[in-house]
Amino acid sequence: MAHSLVESFEMLYYEPEEQRRVKFADEEDDAQPWSGELLSSHTLHYGSEHRQSAWFNTVMARRRRGVSPNTEDEAVEELADAMEGDEKLMSENVDGEIMRREVLRELYKPLRVKKEIRRRLTARRSSHRYSSRTISRMQYLKYTLSMRWYKIRQSVLDTFHDYSLWHKEIKEIEGTFGTGVGSYFKFLRYLFLLNLTIVIIVCGFLLTPQLLARLHDDTSMPHTTTDVPVTTGATPLGFSFKNVSGKPGTVRVVSNSPATTSVAGTRRPTSLSTTTKKVIPSIENDDTTKVFGPLDWLTGAGWFESTELYYGTYRSDSFSLMKDVHYNISRAYFFVIFLAYVIYLIVILHRVIVLYKNNYIDVEHDMSASFVKKVFSSWDFSITEKKAATIKHRSIYNELKELLQEFLSEEQEEGWLRQLAGWCIKLLFWAIVLVSLGLLGWAMYAMLKSGIDKDIITKTDSSGFGPLVYPLIVTCIIIIVPWVFGIIVKVEGYRIPRHRLYVTLIRTILLELTVLGVLVGFWYMHAVDPNSTTHTDDSNTNKGIGDFKILSESLQEADYCWETSLGEEFYRLLIIDFFVVVIMQLATLIFFVATQKQITKGKIHHYLLEFDISRNTLHLIYNQTLLWAGLFFCPLTPVIVLLKITIMFYIQKFSVLKFLQPDERPWRAAQTETVFFALTLVSLILSFLGYGFIIFRGNASSSCGPFQGCHHYIDCLWNAANNNEKKVLNIFSWILKPGVVAGILGILFILVYCAKSIAEGRAEMIKVLRRQLELEVRDKAFLLQLTDKVRRGEYRPASPAHIRAASPPRSSPAAPQDLTQRSSFVFTDNKVHPVHVEPEPRHFSDYTDAHSSDRYSP
Amino acid sequence: MGQGNSQFTEAELEEYQELTYFTKKEILYAHKRFKNLALEKVGHNRNAKLPMDKLLTLPELRANPFGERMCFIFSSTKDGDCTFEDFLDMMSVFSEAAPKSVKAEYAFRIFDFDGDDYLGRRDLEETITKLVSPQRFSPGDMEALVSRVLEEADLDDDGMLAFAEFEHVISKSPDFADSFRIRL
């Protein structure tokens, strides 16, 4: 009985193992006479999606009766008739129309035939409509309207499709480099469009009002320098809100006699108005006006500090150009940035979910299908260049060869000792990497601190090369360290290349987060010092660090705008990164030209001249992370990133098409793309959380920016809510009640539970169906075999009485051997006997060898 | 819209649009591509039949090891020569908008070299040979490869893949829809 136990166990889990192979049917040469009319071969012709529809069943019924069309006209006639009979398909509404289109599109027939069928259907439909008049005027109107709406929608979608950005360029790149590199450029395009949306929002709702306000001030007070955001420590609160309810048309202006603005600090934004960011020669003798220096482009300091590039310049009050219309920039600032984050979050989350669903959930259960995948979906049909095709051929060859060797060598299992050693090595390397990341973070922190010290002590204007050192180092780290990671991971001994890739990716992301986290953290700590909460001079004192104590007396501190400084830091990182990448591209080009004549091309050559998709994609993500981290402090980062992406697109397109080579390593675009998007999402969420934390807990600079006068940023919003509408607060407090929160959580919990149960149920169902499928296939194969034997007169079926006697009682569960008994035959060896002769069931696998040795004996 | 669509009326375009996965502009563009293969002939008769050699000068088909197969599959006369409608059909199946099931159906046809509605051992061998073209697998390796493929995909163990089996494995390969695509 042990035998059958093993057997039923095997049946439970479908794994196509060698020993279970059954071969009933003939091999390829001997065409099976019965296979011609099997259902599966017919489903082929009519689109898999419509197997269940009525018209399809009609056609199938005709086939079963042995009727099949001989000429094309007959085929058209048959299909048209069948479709005509399908009520759902012919229904007079938009659903029916869409369905008809889908059916026709998916039909496996030449276009000419489809056209003919469509014409007949249309003709019959219109004649039907006029003759029977089954639909009323109302319905007809409804149909026409909805059809028109459908068409308009379709044409709008088509227009978007037709004019998709960079379509031609991406096609060209895909043609020469394949879909892998194409996916990188598509990712780039995706980010471009996303950032473009944000840029429009930021410019529309934040930048323009701010510029208008500035312009307004300048025109209304032509002679005094209006230094709007000056609020000295005494009366910071309520300032901006008085204005909201204040008289229309008056913009609060504090005239800045030198006495009141005791600190004409270097970082004080001026209101020298420029609608565009052009250099305007300063006429006034105000020392706050910065002259545009040549280095400012790089450092983002100097003149830029007084532009709308940074947080510090935005006003905290509201202004009105028309009567009774107020625009509060402080609130606008908050909401625009918040909206930007939310849009990013929703869009990217949606994308991740779609990708995950398509590439993981739908395909999850069967990783064994690797050979099939490589054979059937490895050719990239988008390739148009001979050179690329040659490389692709070679790559597929290597891949298949590798896979085969891997498969053959898989037999030898590694000892547990070796496995343990492998794990230890991996752990060790992880520890090393994490520790060195920690050290790196600490070093960055130390460097930032010393940099600030120097800056403040020497009171240098931050326009020299000094501030460029830090971003330069960071950029180098971001470029070099992932490369080191790539080398390390090869030593570690991950067997599967994809794992290698993922490990490198995770480490690189960790590195980026460390660097940016340290940067933001440093400035944040700088600002949230407990002493600074009193809005006194020592806002910059870093507790426990003696050096800073000296400086705390400096009056300059009160005016210190840490948000602007941080914004500058991000600006520099973005710009320097851009220049470094451009220089690297140039260097590669030079290298290419220099080595073009050489015949032997070494590893360096390969490394430099291959387009590494993962490295480039990571770089894009890094850029995007910079954007998200810096958005709050430098609201125009999307503009910078947008410009940068555009330029990068053309530079990279040039280098890809002119001198780079396709990567020979295979690139599994679909799943890796998902991972990349997931990483993007992670960095976005972290930025979002960081932003939220700063909003709620961070201390706003007291003398600059839209939130001046508030302790925490969020206070400004609370104030607004308090002042204006009690309702807002009520709603909020109601939502935050424990009961409500618990209720929401409870509902969510139940939903999650339901979803999970359904998913589990489905998985179970799949298992059952799988088993059923296998059993039925065996059944079918067996019966076919039997029919064949009967036909050739080798076997005479048993009488009905015998069959009844042999059939198992209905109630008993189907054990594997029931398969044979149900048909009332049992076979031993390769002979089939009626069940009453000698019912000794045998394992199917035993059958294989015997069967193959002497089947169909002559 | 100028001379480009003088060969088609609006109604015809509409019809093509309904029957393929293309927009009107793409249909016109496809025709332009088709016309460029044989300016004289297609200019004369917009639905002229072009011989296979002419079609294979299209870069997308020239670089493709299955280019010839594709012509055969989509040719309505089954001899590899294609009219514009056949060409449009081909491009539509390979377009981005075409669903996976349709692509799978035609992919099956393309890999089914002997046309018996099954992917047998010989079809698989032919496919692999075409995939690695200048390189060659030794007979032993080829045998092992084909066996592995069958083992993975052949659910009913009849030594060949029916369409249902093919579709089943293809639906699990996330890269299939991406790779089985030609940008117009």
Side-chain angles (χ1 to χ4, degrees):
Chain A
M1 239 31 276
H3 184 73
S4 76
L5 196 71
V6 171
E7 205 171 51
S8 55
F9 227 88
E10 269 178 9
M11 297 293 223
L12 265 175
Y13 299 100
Y14 175 70
E15 278 164 19
E17 291 287 325
E18 192 88 61
Q19 70 265 23
R20 285 203 297 108
R21 290 186 74 84
V22 199
K23 284 213 169 37
F24 289 103
D26 234 347
E27 297 272 276
E28 68 268 29
D29 294 326
D30 213 310
Q32 300 155 343
W34 55 77
S35 69
E37 285 298 311
L38 282 183
L39 279 186
S40 60
S41 68
H42 273 296
T43 41
L44 194 55
H45 299 277
Y46 303 105
S48 55
E49 297 295 309
H50 298 281
R51 272 176 204 160
Q52 304 307 324
S53 54
W55 71 270
F56 179 71
N57 288 338
T58 318
V59 175
M60 285 319 298
R62 278 173 67 89
R63 284 288 178 289
R64 273 192 221 103
R65 272 184 269 126
V67 188
S68 55
N70 293 320
T71 62
E72 201 174 279
D73 285 343
E74 276 178 41
V76 169
E77 193 66 36
E78 184 190 29
L79 283 170
D81 279 343
M83 286 184 193
E84 168 113 336
D86 189 340
E87 235 169 72
K88 217 163 136 199
L89 195 66
M90 298 302 286
S91 55
E92 290 286 338
N93 53 35
V94 178
D95 287 345
E97 180 72 34
I98 293 171
M99 213 158 113
R100 275 196 294 279
R101 284 185 189 201
E102 298 271 293
V103 167
L104 282 177
R105 277 177 184 169
E106 287 181 7
L107 213 57
Y108 179 76
K109 290 278 174 209
L111 194 59
R112 194 171 31 152
V113 176
K114 290 185 195 173
K115 234 160 86 176
E116 198 52 44
I117 294 176
R118 178 177 173 267
R119 273 180 199 155
R120 287 193 194 197
L121 283 185
T122 320
R124 282 183 213 182
R125 254 175 61 232
S126 55
S127 70
H128 179 72
R129 194 183 297 154
Y130 287 120
S131 63
S132 62
R133 289 206 164 272
T134 45
I135 52 169
S136 66
R137 230 160 228 293
M138 197 57 203
Q139 272 173 315
Y140 184 69
L141 189 73
K142 204 174 131 200
Y143 168 75
T144 332
L145 278 181
S146 52
M147 202 57 223
R148 189 154 298 164
W149 167 241
Y150 171 75
K151 279 196 176 153
I152 289 174
R153 215 183 50 189
Q154 205 60 33
S155 69
V156 168
L157 285 180
D158 285 355
T159 319
F160 269 109
H161 180 82
D162 284 343
Y163 295 97
S164 64
L165 187 73
W166 292 328
H167 176 89
K168 239 183 161 165
E169 282 87 349
I170 290 181
K171 177 193 153 58
E172 200 182 347
I173 290 165
E174 275 195 345
T176 35
F177 272 65
T179 8
V181 178
S183 76
Y184 163 76
F185 280 92
K186 270 191 240 158
F187 184 51
L188 199 149
R189 181 177 67 181
Y190 176 82
L191 288 181
F192 176 86
L193 291 175
L194 188 57
N195 288 336
L196 186 68
T197 324
I198 302 299
V199 164
I200 291 170
I201 291 175
V202 169
C203 285
F205 294 103
L206 188 58
L207 188 64
T208 319
Q210 161 78 12
L211 289 175
L212 280 176
R214 264 182 139 177
L215 203 67
H216 188 83
D217 287 354
D218 283 358
T219 47
S220 59
M221 315 238 164
H223 295 301
T224 46
T225 314
T226 52
D227 212 345
V228 181
V230 173
T231 50
T232 34
T235 57
L237 260 161
F239 176 77
S240 56
F241 302 106
K242 229 182 276 167
N243 244 332
V244 184
S245 51
K247 290 166 194 78
T250 55
V251 174
R252 172 63 59 114
V253 172
V254 179
S255 66
N256 62 336
S257 67
T260 50
T261 51
S262 53
V263 273
T266 47
R267 288 183 175 79
R268 166 77 52 78
T270 65
S271 60
L272 185 73
S273 141
T274 49
T275 35
T276 54
K277 281 190 221 157
K278 279 186 182 148
V279 189
I280 291 201
S282 57
I283 319 153
E284 291 128 300
N285 268 343
D286 193 344
D287 58 312
T288 60
T289 311
K290 288 276 173 81
V291 182
F292 184 75
L295 261 182
D296 287 359
W297 279 114
L298 275 180
T299 59
W303 177 77
F304 276 114
E305 280 171 10
S306 59
T307 62
E308 265 67 24
L309 193 58
Y310 300 120
Y311 168 93
T313 322
Y314 288 87
R315 318 157 40 123
S316 64
D317 55 354
S318 51
F319 76 101
S320 63
L321 294 173
M322 280 176 291
K323 266 194 165 195
D324 292 329
V325 183
H326 296 282
Y327 199 89
N328 189 326
I329 291 183
S330 144
R331 258 177 268 168
Y333 197 94
F334 179 83
F335 283 120
V336 163
I337 303 287
F338 186 71
L339 186 70
Y341 274 112
V342 169
I343 289 175
Y344 276 127
L345 205 61
I346 289 174
V347 171
I348 289 183
L349 199 65
H350 174 254
R351 182 93 184 147
V352 170
I353 289 171
V354 168
L355 282 176
Y356 182 74
K357 189 176 157 300
N358 287 346
N359 299 333
Y360 281 87
I361 294 184
D362 290 357
V363 292
E364 194 181 25
H365 38 256
D366 214 25
M367 285 311 285
S368 68
S370 48
F371 275 95
V372 172
K373 265 186 218 166
K374 290 215 163 114
V375 171
F376 290 134
S377 55
S378 61
W379 185 261
D380 194 340
F381 280 75
S382 59
I383 286 178
T384 57
E385 298 296 314
K386 207 83 205 158
K387 198 176 122 200
T390 320
I391 288 176
K392 189 81 196 168
H393 280 303
R394 201 163 55 222
S395 143
I396 292 174
Y397 176 75
N398 291 338
E399 215 184 326
L400 281 175
K401 193 136 195 150
E402 224 169 79
L403 205 64
L404 203 61
Q405 268 156 12
E406 210 172 281
F407 174 71
L408 292 177
S409 65
E410 217 171 60
E411 318 292 280
Q412 310 128 13
E413 279 270 313
E414 279 188 0
W416 65 273
L417 217 77
R418 273 188 74 106
Q419 276 187 359
L420 192 71
W423 279 108
C424 283
I425 290 176
K426 277 165 204 167
L427 268 179
L428 184 72
F429 270 102
W430 267 103
I432 292 175
V433 167
L434 289 180
V435 166
S436 50
L437 278 183
L439 282 177
L440 189 74
W442 178 78
M444 304 245 97
Y445 189 85
M447 194 169 81
L448 272 172
K449 215 161 61 189
S450 68
I452 287 296
D453 292 355
K454 235 185 275 164
D455 197 23
I456 295 173
I457 289 169
T458 54
K459 291 206 169 95
T460 44
D461 204 20
S462 52
S463 58
F465 278 107
L468 288 181
V469 175
Y470 175 76
L472 206 61
I473 291 174
V474 168
T475 309
C476 289
I477 286 174
I478 290 292
I479 286 171
I480 292 168
V481 175
W483 182 66
V484 177
F485 283 159
I487 294 172
I488 289 178
V489 90
K490 275 182 196 158
V491 187
E492 273 175 89
Y494 287 97
R495 292 242 309 268
I496 303 168
R498 204 178 42 231
H499 289 179
R500 241 178 274 161
L501 179 71
Y502 288 170
V503 168
T504 324
L505 285 183
I506 292 170
R507 286 178 185 166
T508 313
I509 287 289
L510 278 179
L511 169 79
E512 284 169 7
L513 290 176
T514 315
V515 170
L516 295 184
V518 166
L519 181 65
V520 177
F522 171 79
W523 283 102
Y524 174 76
M525 304 247 297
H526 216 63
V528 192
D529 202 272
N531 298 336
S532 68
T533 53
T534 51
H535 288 273
T536 49
D537 294 344
D538 49 12
S539 64
N540 269 337
T541 320
N542 213 330
K543 217 170 47 173
I545 291 147
D547 303 352
F548 279 91
K549 285 267 151 79
I550 317 158
L551 301 158
S552 59
E553 258 103 73
S554 156
L555 273 172
Q556 208 138 355
E557 297 306 305
D559 198 38
Y560 200 73
C561 202
W562 73 276
E563 291 94 344
T564 297
S565 309
L566 188 51
E568 275 173 37
E569 216 60 78
F570 280 113
Y571 177 88
R572 262 172 252 152
L573 279 173
L574 278 170
I575 293 291
I576 293 290
D577 176 74
F578 175 67
F579 279 109
V580 167
V581 168
V582 169
I583 288 169
M584 271 177 54
Q585 293 277 353
L586 264 180
T588 319
L589 178 62
I590 292 168
F591 180 78
F592 169 73
V593 173
T595 59
Q596 205 176 14
K597 299 262 164 62
Q598 283 178 18
I599 302 152
T600 49
K601 282 168 181 160
K603 264 196 171 159
I604 304 171
H605 186 91
H606 264 287
Y607 178 76
L608 279 178
L609 292 185
E610 256 175 20
F611 188 86
D612 188 339
I613 305 166
S614 70
R615 205 176 42 194
N616 280 292
T617 313
L618 271 179
H619 195 247
L620 264 187
I621 295 178
Y622 167 67
N623 251 317
Q624 203 58 30
T625 315
L626 274 183
L627 192 165
W628 289 323
L631 185 60
F632 182 67
F633 310 102
C634 175
L636 294 191
T637 33
V639 183
I640 302 168
V641 171
L642 197 69
L643 287 176
K644 200 172 148 182
I645 285 182
T646 318
I647 300 172
M648 286 301 291
F649 179 87
Y650 285 103
I651 290 180
Q652 283 189 324
K653 186 197 139 211
F654 172 80
S655 56
V656 157
L657 291 180
K658 294 295 177 218
F659 60 89
L660 289 186
Q661 290 166 356
D663 201 338
E664 244 188 67
R665 283 165 295 171
W667 181 254
R668 300 265 149 252
Q671 296 204 333
T672 326
E673 197 187 353
T674 320
V675 175
F676 276 125
F677 264 97
L679 290 179
T680 321
L681 185 68
V682 167
S683 61
L684 172 62
I685 288 176
L686 285 178
S687 318
F688 191 63
L689 289 181
Y691 166 68
F693 182 76
I694 287 176
I695 285 286
F696 277 93
R697 311 284 336 150
N699 297 336
S701 292
S702 54
S703 58
C704 65
F707 299 107
Q708 55 186 293
C710 300
H711 182 188
H712 297 314
Y713 299 94
I714 199 72
D715 290 349
C716 283
L717 210 72
W718 293 148
N719 284 340
N722 256 339
N723 282 11
N724 290 343
E725 315 246 345
K726 276 274 182 271
K727 275 181 204 157
V728 183
L729 217 63
N730 284 344
I731 291 169
F732 264 98
S733 57
W734 187 81
I735 286 175
L736 295 178
K737 266 183 192 163
V740 179
V741 172
I744 292 171
L745 279 182
I747 291 170
L748 284 181
F749 182 75
I750 291 170
L751 283 180
V752 168
Y753 181 76
C754 286
K756 180 134 176 54
S757 320
I758 290 173
E760 272 170 7
R762 288 202 178 133
E764 196 64 32
M765 197 66 208
I766 287 172
K767 231 186 243 173
V768 170
L769 286 176
R770 215 175 248 273
R771 191 179 158 214
Q772 194 182 336
L773 177 77
E774 197 188 347
L775 292 181
E776 276 178 10
V777 157
R778 283 169 181 230
D779 221 5
K780 188 183 87 185
F782 172 72
L783 285 177
L784 288 177
Q785 167 82 16
L786 206 63
T787 335
D788 194 38
K789 292 219 166 188
V790 170
R791 205 167 36 105
R792 277 186 283 148
E794 282 177 19
Y795 173 72
R796 197 171 47 81
S799 67
H802 284 139
I803 296 174
R804 236 176 285 125
S807 302
R810 278 295 96 189
S811 57
S812 73
Q817 62 262 41
D818 284 354
L819 255 187
T820 52
Q821 289 184 349
R822 209 188 307 155
S823 324
S824 85
F825 307 110
V826 164
F827 49 92
T828 54
D829 300 333
N830 62 336
K831 300 257 172 19
V832 182
H833 309 282
V835 82
H836 64 277
V837 178
E838 184 35 74
E840 193 177 317
R842 293 199 46 154
H843 196 299
F844 280 112
S845 61
D846 300 342
Y847 191 69
T848 317
D849 311 322
H851 175 67
S852 55
S853 59
D854 67 340
R855 60 160 186 253
Y856 301 143
S857 45
Chain B
M1 277 182 254
Q3 296 161 323
N5 62 355
S6 59
Q7 282 187 302
F8 294 98
T9 64
E10 190 66 19
E12 277 169 329
L13 280 180
E14 192 106 339
E15 187 170 36
Y16 282 141
Q17 191 184 4
E18 252 180 58
L19 295 176
T20 61
Y21 295 100
F22 281 139
T23 64
K24 282 177 194 153
K25 189 164 170 267
E26 281 174 317
I27 291 167
L28 290 176
Y29 182 68
H31 189 253
K32 206 172 108 198
R33 297 282 311 265
F34 188 71
K35 198 170 162 182
N36 282 342
L37 292 175
L39 266 179
E40 189 77 356
K41 212 168 165 186
V42 182
H44 211 64
N45 167 18
R46 64 160 199 243
N47 207 8
K49 180 178 276 188
L50 295 189
M52 192 162 72
D53 319 343
K54 263 274 178 314
L55 278 166
L56 287 178
T57 54
L58 206 74
E60 281 85 351
L61 298 183
R62 195 180 44 205
N64 195 327
F66 301 105
E68 229 168 276
R69 277 301 293 166
M70 284 159 67
C71 289
F72 270 113
I73 294 301
F74 285 94
S75 151
S76 49
T77 45
K78 299 292 168 209
D79 55 0
D81 303 351
C82 288
T83 62
F84 169 62
E85 289 186 353
D86 296 338
F87 177 73
L88 195 65
D89 233 0
M90 181 195 295
M91 287 298 145
S92 157
V93 167
F94 279 93
S95 76
E96 222 157 323
K100 218 171 177 177
S101 56
V102 174
K103 282 175 189 277
E105 203 161 315
Y106 283 90
F108 184 78
R109 293 283 160 184
I110 287 174
F111 296 137
D112 181 16
F113 284 88
D114 50 14
D116 63 351
D117 285 353
Y118 285 94
L119 296 186
R121 291 188 92 87
R122 209 164 290 167
D123 292 325
L124 293 177
E125 274 171 28
E126 183 91 30
T127 308
I128 295 173
T129 314
K130 279 206 185 291
L131 273 177
V132 299
S133 183
Q135 291 87 357
R136 295 177 66 88
F137 279 113
S138 68
D141 279 355
M142 182 62 97
E143 178 70 30
L145 268 175
V146 171
S147 301
R148 279 304 301 163
V149 170
L150 282 178
E151 193 146 322
E152 281 171 6
D154 187 11
L155 295 180
D156 59 2
D157 285 328
D158 59 356
M160 47 195 180
L161 304 184
F163 174 64
E165 290 161 334
F166 178 78
E167 200 194 17
H168 181 70
V169 289
I170 276 299
S171 69
K172 283 188 199 157
S173 165
D175 289 316
F176 171 71
D178 274 339
S179 63
F180 204 73
R181 198 182 61 199
I182 294 176
R183 273 170 178 261
L184 200 63

